[in-house]
């Protein structure tokens, strides 16, 4: 069962006020003791009331005097930095409540204008709205449009990033080799030279019976003269067209 929230207002009934004082005083003393013990700090409590002839002091008179002496040795600015009386406490609570009320009122107004905007999309007229309501409705529509544009830009950016990643990934794929002559691919440079040598040897053997090759006394090799048709077929087309 939840505890009922107490209304913070002066208790007009004398007996009820006295009973509340005794109950709250006991709880306050307990809280000060717990705070000092758990956190290891110096604290004291002095309570005066018309219901008791003597002061209520915690932990004792000497302890309270020591804490007050330390407080008085502090600079005046530091002494009043976090000091609060009943009036300042109430003012702080009122200011906080006003801020919450203002925030809640703004949220309620936005929800109301959003509902009217959706009703307008369904075809309901806006003739019943005054100038203030139309102004607020326009603000809500602008906020929704900004959010829509922001989401569109995010989607475009995500699509662009995905396309760039896929494009870069496709560039890393090894391209299929260009179809070439199987003989050239298989032979390579050394094979080409070997094929030329074999072709030249075969050509020499096939022509020694018809033509004679003379060698001079120098280092030059002298080849016989051939007609144009024979010279054209001297080198294979695969290497020297």
């Amino acid at each position: 069962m939840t505890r009922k929230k107490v209304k913070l207002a002066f208790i007009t009934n004398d007996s009820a006020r006295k009973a509340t004082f005794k109950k709250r005083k006991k709880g306050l003393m307990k809280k000060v003791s717990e705070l000092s013990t758990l956190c290891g700090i110096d604290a004291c409590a002095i309570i005066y009331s018309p219901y008791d002839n003597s002061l209520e002091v915690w932990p004792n008179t000497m302890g309270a005097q020591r804490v007050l002496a330390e407080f008085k040795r502090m600079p005046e600015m530091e002494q009043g930095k976090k000091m609060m009386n009943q009036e300042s406490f109430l003012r702080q609570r009122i200011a906080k409540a006003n801020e919450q009320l203002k925030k809640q009122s703004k949220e309620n107004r936005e929800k109301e204008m959003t509902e009217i905007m959706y009703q307008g999309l369904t075809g309901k007229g806006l003739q019943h709205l005054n100038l203030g309501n139309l102004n607020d409705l326009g603000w809500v529509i602008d906020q929704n449009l900004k959010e829509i544009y922001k989401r569109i830009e995010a989607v475009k950016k995500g699509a662009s990033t995905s396309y760039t990643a896929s494009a870069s990934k496709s560039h890393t794929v090894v391209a299929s080799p260009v179809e070439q002559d199987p003989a050239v691919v298989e032979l390579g440079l050394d094979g080409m030279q070997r094929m030329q040598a074999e072709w030249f040897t075969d050509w020499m053997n096939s022509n020694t019976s018809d033509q004679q090759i003379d060698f001079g006394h120098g280092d030059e090799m002298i080849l016989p003269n051939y007609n144009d048709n024979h010279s054209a077929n001297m080198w294979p087309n695969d290497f020297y067209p």
Side-chain angles (χ1 to χ4, degrees):
M1 184 176 179
T2 58
R3 187 175 179 179
K4 185 179 179 180
K5 188 175 181 180
V6 179
K7 183 180 179 180
L8 293 178
F10 179 74
I11 302 175
T12 57
N13 186 277
D14 293 339
S15 59
R17 186 170 62 251
K18 186 175 181 180
T20 301
F21 168 76
K22 290 183 178 181
K23 180 180 177 181
R24 299 277 177 163
K25 180 187 70 174
K26 184 178 179 181
L28 177 62
M29 293 298 186
K30 183 180 179 181
K31 291 295 183 182
V32 174
S33 176
E34 292 175 352
L35 180 64
S36 179
T37 303
L38 294 175
C39 302
I41 62 171
D42 293 330
C44 68
I46 303 173
I47 299 177
Y48 171 79
S49 71
Y51 308 110
D52 295 324
N53 295 329
S54 60
L55 295 175
E56 293 280 344
V57 181
W58 186 94
N60 51 48
T61 304
M62 295 297 295
Q65 289 178 352
R66 179 173 56 82
V67 174
L68 291 175
E70 293 180 0
F71 174 76
K72 291 180 179 180
R73 285 196 294 268
M74 295 175 63
E76 293 184 2
M77 185 176 295
E78 293 294 328
Q79 289 182 12
K81 189 175 182 179
K82 296 183 179 181
M83 187 178 294
M84 184 177 297
N85 53 21
Q86 182 70 13
E87 182 180 358
S88 60
F89 173 75
L90 291 176
R91 289 182 181 277
Q92 186 180 19
R93 292 289 298 270
I94 292 172
K96 185 177 180 181
N98 287 333
E99 288 295 327
Q100 293 177 351
L101 178 61
K102 184 178 179 181
K103 181 179 179 181
Q104 190 63 46
S105 299
K106 183 179 178 181
E107 292 179 358
N108 294 341
R109 185 63 173 173
E110 289 182 8
K111 291 180 179 179
E112 181 183 359
M113 292 297 105
T114 302
E115 183 178 359
I116 294 176
M117 179 184 68
Y118 288 143
Q119 291 177 357
L121 292 176
T122 60
K124 186 177 180 179
L126 305 177
Q127 295 84 358
H128 63 285
L129 298 179
N130 56 26
L131 184 60
N133 291 334
L134 291 174
N135 185 34
D136 294 343
L137 179 60
W139 182 87
V140 171
I141 293 174
D142 289 340
Q143 295 300 316
N144 281 272
L145 288 176
K146 289 180 181 179
E147 185 66 24
I148 292 172
Y149 292 148
K150 187 184 297 183
R151 292 186 181 183
I152 292 174
E153 291 297 328
V155 171
K156 289 182 178 179
K157 186 176 180 181
S160 176
T161 304
S162 177
Y163 175 78
T164 303
S166 61
S168 61
K169 186 180 296 183
S170 63
H171 288 165
T172 60
V173 178
V174 179
S176 58
V178 180
E179 185 177 357
Q180 298 179 358
D181 189 351
V184 176
V185 175
E186 181 180 359
L187 292 174
L189 182 59
D190 294 338
M192 291 171 63
Q193 294 175 351
R194 185 168 61 253
M195 187 174 181
Q196 290 179 10
E198 292 176 356
W199 173 85
F200 185 75
T201 303
D202 295 339
W203 179 80
M204 288 288 293
N205 293 333
S206 63
N207 288 281
T208 51
S209 58
D210 299 330
Q211 301 290 343
Q212 183 179 0
I213 302 177
D214 296 330
F215 295 92
H217 297 285
D219 296 334
E220 255 184 86
M221 185 175 70
I222 302 174
L223 295 177
N225 293 326
Y226 297 95
N227 54 27
D228 294 339
N229 295 332
H230 195 83
S231 299
N233 298 325
M234 181 177 178
W235 302 106
N237 293 333
D238 290 339
F239 302 102
Y240 299 97

